[in-house]
Amino acid sequence: MHHCLLIPEILQVICAHLRGISRIQDWRRNLQAVALVCRNFHNATLDFLWYRIGGLLPLLRTLPSDVWSGPLTRHEAALARAITASDLERFRARARLVQSYYDSEYINVPIAIYQALSFHFHDQPIFPNLLFLESSRSEILPYLPMFLVPSICQVQLSISSDSIQNSPLPILGNRCPSLVHFELSTPDCYPNIGQQMKSILSQWGQLETLVIRYLPEESLQIVAALPHLCDFTLSHVDDDYGNTFSPTPGTDVFPALQRLTITASSPTLCVNLLKAATNCPLEDFTLFLFGLDPPVWRDLFATLAGLCGKGALTAIYIDDLVSQYDEQNPGTADELRLLFPLTGLTYLVLETCCGFDVDDAFMYEVAAAWPRIGTLSIGTTGTFQRFEPQRLTLHGLVPLAELCPNLQSLGVHVNVAHICSNHLYTRLGSNSKSRVRYLNVSRSPIPRKSVPWAAAYLSAIFPELREVEYNDDYGDSEQPAYPDRWSDIENHLAAYHYMSGHRKNDLHCFDCGLHV
C-alpha cells in the first residue's frame, strides 16, 4: 500500500467522496467494500457508515448472537436472556459514532427491547454525540429521554392522541439547550401540548426553525420575541386565532424572520403578525387558506407590501384550499397592484379558486413592476374561468418576454379564441431572449382552428418553451377536447424547436399551419 494512504486526512477525503454518491444503497455498499481492505480503511469508514442510522436494528446486531431467541430481522426481535453490560461494549462504541438518528418506517423494534436498554441507559444517553433526532413512533416516546443529549441541535417529533400523556416535551428544554430546529406534529389542537410548548419555548433562545401544528395564542408572544428565529411554520389555526395578538412591549417582533408559512381558515393572524413585525426581514411568505375573497386579498396584499421590508420579500405563495366556489367574483388588477411595491419579487404564485380577471395592458404593468420574477402564476386553479371569458390574450404575454429575462415558469388563464386571422405579428420574432420553459394555461379554452397560430405565436415569444399544461383536475366534461388541443400545441413547439430556416427579421410574420 502506498504510504500516502496511511495519512488519515487522505482516507477521510476518499470516504467523503464515496459518501457523496446520491443513492444511499450505492455509497453504503462502496464504503463497506472499502472497509474490508485493511484496518486503516476500516477505521476511516466507520464515521461515515455510522453517522446516520434508521432505527436501532444496526446497533442491535452488534450484540452477541446468544442474546436473541431467534433471527434478528426488521420485524422480529425476541430476547433469549437479559442484556448484560459486557454485551453492550460494541453497541456503545458504535453508538458514539452516530450523529443522526431517525425511526425507520421499515423497522419495527419491539417495545421490550427499549425497556431492556432503558435499564442500562437510564442515567446516560444511547448516543452521546447525537446532533439530529427524528421520531415518528409515538409508542416509544416514554423512552425518548435515552436519546436526548445537550449536543442535539435538531428534533422532529410526531405525537399521537394516545401518547399525549407520555409526551417528552417537558424535559426537552433542559436536555436540549442548544436546539436550533424543532418540528412537532400533533393530530389536533391539544391544550396540554400547547401548555408544554409554552413552558419550554422561552428556554430556546437560539431557536432558528420552528414547525408546529398548534400553539397557544399567548405563546406567540414568546415565539415572536425569539431573536434568532428565521423560519416559522404554524398550522391548524382557527377563525378567531390571532385576533388578540399583541407583542411584548419593548421587544422587536420576529427580528430575524425570513420564512413564514401559515395554514389557517382566516388571514387574521397573518395580517396582525405582519403589521406588528415592522422591521421583519421577511423573504419568503407562504399562506394556505380555506377560502379567499377580494377583501382578504386587499388587506393581506397591502400589509405585505407596506409593512414587510419591501426590498427583502422575494417569494409569495398563497393557495386557496377550498376546491371551488358556487358564486364568487374573481380578483381584479387593482388588488394585484397592491403588490407592485415589492420590486424584488422572484417568485409569485397566487392559486385562488375564483381567479383573477386581468387584461393585456395590466400584464405590461406586471412585467415593469417585477423585472426579476422567475416564477409567476396568477389564479391557474380558478373555477370561474370555465364560464367567464378572459380578457388576457397571448398578446399580453409579450411584455413578460421583453422585460422579465429571468422568467422560466408562467401560469395564466388566456383567451386564444380570437387568434384566427391570416397573419399574426410580434416585434420579438426570433430575437426573443425569453427563458420561459413551462406554461400553465389553467382551464383556457381553445378552438381547434387556433391551435397552429397559438403554437406559432408562443414559439416566437417563448423560444425555449417546452411544456404546456392544462389543468384538468376535475375533468372537463363540457369541453374534453381542450386538453388534447393544448397537448397538440406542445407537440408543435417541439417541432418548432428543431425547425431551421426561420426568418430573422425583427418583424416576424406567421402564416397558417406550421409554415413559418
Side-chain angles (χ1 to χ4, degrees):
M1 180 182 296
H2 197 280
H3 64 275
C4 290
L5 295 179
L6 301 178
I7 302 176
E9 290 77 9
I10 293 181
L11 294 180
Q12 291 290 321
V13 171
I14 294 174
C15 293
H17 175 74
L18 296 174
R19 174 63 176 81
I21 299 175
S22 58
R23 294 184 56 193
I24 186 172
Q25 296 91 343
D26 292 340
W27 68 257
R28 279 197 172 277
R29 188 182 303 113
N30 292 337
L31 283 175
Q32 289 167 357
V34 169
L36 299 177
V37 172
C38 66
R39 183 176 296 275
N40 288 334
F41 275 87
H42 176 267
N43 294 334
T45 59
L46 287 180
D47 290 339
F48 294 89
L49 287 171
W50 287 94
Y51 176 83
R52 177 174 171 83
I53 63 173
L56 291 177
L57 185 60
L59 285 172
L60 296 178
R61 287 172 174 166
T62 65
L63 300 179
S65 58
D66 63 335
V67 169
W68 311 108
S69 61
L72 184 61
T73 66
R74 293 181 176 182
H75 306 289
E76 184 179 358
L79 292 172
R81 60 175 178 82
I83 299 176
T84 64
S86 59
D87 295 333
L88 294 171
E89 290 184 2
R90 292 185 62 210
F91 184 102
R92 295 179 185 274
R94 298 295 180 261
R96 282 193 292 268
L97 303 176
V98 176
Q99 298 187 40
S100 178
Y101 176 85
Y102 67 98
D103 290 326
S104 174
E105 59 181 319
Y106 305 107
I107 299 177
N108 185 21
V109 176
I111 297 299
I113 305 299
Y114 289 94
Q115 294 174 342
L117 291 175
S118 65
F119 176 79
H120 296 276
F121 294 96
H122 65 280
D123 58 349
Q124 56 182 319
I126 293 179
F127 307 112
N129 300 310
L130 194 65
L131 298 176
F132 310 100
L133 173 63
E134 180 180 349
S135 177
S136 57
R137 293 183 59 191
S138 297
E139 64 271 19
I140 69 170
L141 287 179
Y143 308 99
L144 205 60
M146 294 189 298
F147 299 83
L148 301 180
V149 291
S151 59
I152 288 183
C153 61
Q154 178 172 324
V155 173
Q156 296 176 239
L157 296 179
S158 178
I159 300 178
S160 66
S161 56
D162 297 333
S163 57
I164 293 295
Q165 300 302 324
N166 296 321
S167 167
L169 293 181
I171 64 173
L172 270 176
N174 295 326
R175 294 284 189 93
C176 307
S178 303
L179 202 65
V180 297
H181 183 118
F182 181 68
E183 297 186 27
L184 177 63
S185 175
T186 56
D188 213 326
C189 300
Y190 284 94
N192 189 27
I193 290 293
Q195 293 303 320
Q196 293 177 13
M197 284 300 304
K198 181 181 177 181
S199 65
I200 63 176
L201 280 172
S202 57
Q203 303 180 49
W204 291 336
Q206 302 300 316
L207 196 65
E208 298 178 0
T209 300
L210 177 61
V211 179
I212 190 167
R213 181 173 173 82
Y214 173 72
L215 192 66
E217 195 167 340
E218 58 271 19
S219 298
L220 278 178
Q221 290 186 345
I222 302 175
V223 174
L226 292 175
H228 303 287
L229 186 67
C230 59
D231 192 341
F232 180 38
T233 299
L234 178 63
S235 61
H236 201 91
V237 177
D238 296 329
D239 290 340
D240 298 331
Y241 190 92
N243 288 339
T244 60
F245 171 75
S246 58
T248 304
T251 61
D252 288 337
V253 178
F254 295 115
L257 189 65
Q258 298 178 7
R259 289 171 295 278
L260 176 63
T261 302
I262 292 182
T263 302
S265 55
S266 168
T268 303
L269 174 63
C270 291
V271 173
N272 289 343
L273 287 181
L274 297 177
K275 284 183 177 179
T278 54
N279 297 319
C280 174
L282 191 65
E283 298 179 0
D284 190 322
F285 175 73
T286 300
L287 175 62
F288 299 95
L289 277 181
F290 295 91
L292 289 169
D293 51 52
V296 171
W297 298 328
R298 285 190 288 270
D299 195 11
L300 182 59
F301 290 174
T303 303
L304 284 170
L307 300 171
C308 242
K310 297 177 182 178
L313 192 58
T314 60
I316 298 177
Y317 181 90
I318 299 178
D319 192 358
D320 187 355
L321 300 179
V322 176
S323 60
Q324 62 182 3
Y325 290 112
D326 294 331
E327 295 182 3
Q328 183 63 270
N329 294 324
T332 65
D334 289 337
E335 283 134 15
L336 290 173
R337 287 190 181 98
L338 295 172
L339 294 175
F340 281 179
L342 300 172
T343 57
L345 278 182
T346 61
Y347 183 96
L348 176 62
V349 176
L350 304 176
E351 299 296 359
T352 61
C353 283
C354 50
F356 290 89
D357 184 18
V358 298
D359 57 15
D360 293 351
F362 176 73
M363 293 309 291
Y364 181 85
E365 297 181 49
V366 168
W370 301 319
R372 303 177 186 176
I373 199 73
T375 297
L376 176 64
S377 181
I378 304 177
T380 59
T381 59
T383 57
F384 87 101
Q385 297 136 344
R386 299 179 59 187
F387 314 105
E388 300 291 338
Q390 179 61 271
R391 294 184 295 141
L392 176 63
T393 70
L394 291 181
H395 300 298
L397 305 185
V398 174
L400 296 175
E402 288 182 313
L403 304 179
C404 303
N406 299 322
L407 186 63
Q408 298 188 36
S409 177
L410 176 63
V412 290
H413 186 273
V414 294
N415 186 346
V416 296
H418 75 290
I419 303 182
C420 56
S421 59
N422 291 330
H423 297 85
L424 295 174
Y425 299 94
T426 172
R427 58 182 175 274
L428 289 174
S430 58
N431 294 323
S432 175
K433 305 299 182 183
S434 174
R435 299 169 57 192
V436 173
R437 299 183 62 87
Y438 170 80
L439 175 64
N440 187 318
V441 295
S442 183
R443 305 171 73 85
S444 301
I446 179 170
R448 181 178 298 278
K449 61 183 179 180
S450 298
V451 170
W453 285 283
Y457 199 88
L458 287 171
S459 177
I461 61 177
F462 301 137
E464 295 188 17
L465 183 61
R466 299 293 177 268
E467 184 179 355
V468 179
E469 182 178 357
Y470 177 89
N471 287 353
D472 194 29
D473 298 337
Y474 304 103
D476 206 335
S477 58
E478 299 175 3
Q479 291 292 343
Y482 287 165
D484 293 336
R485 291 172 188 172
W486 283 108
S487 180
D488 289 342
I489 288 182
E490 188 176 90
N491 295 333
H492 287 344
L493 292 171
Y496 284 134
H497 179 57
Y498 292 102
M499 288 176 62
S500 59
H502 286 253
R503 295 174 59 181
K504 302 300 182 180
N505 298 339
D506 289 340
L507 188 64
H508 211 58
C509 172
F510 300 107
D511 296 321
C512 61
L514 292 177
H515 301 289
V516 181

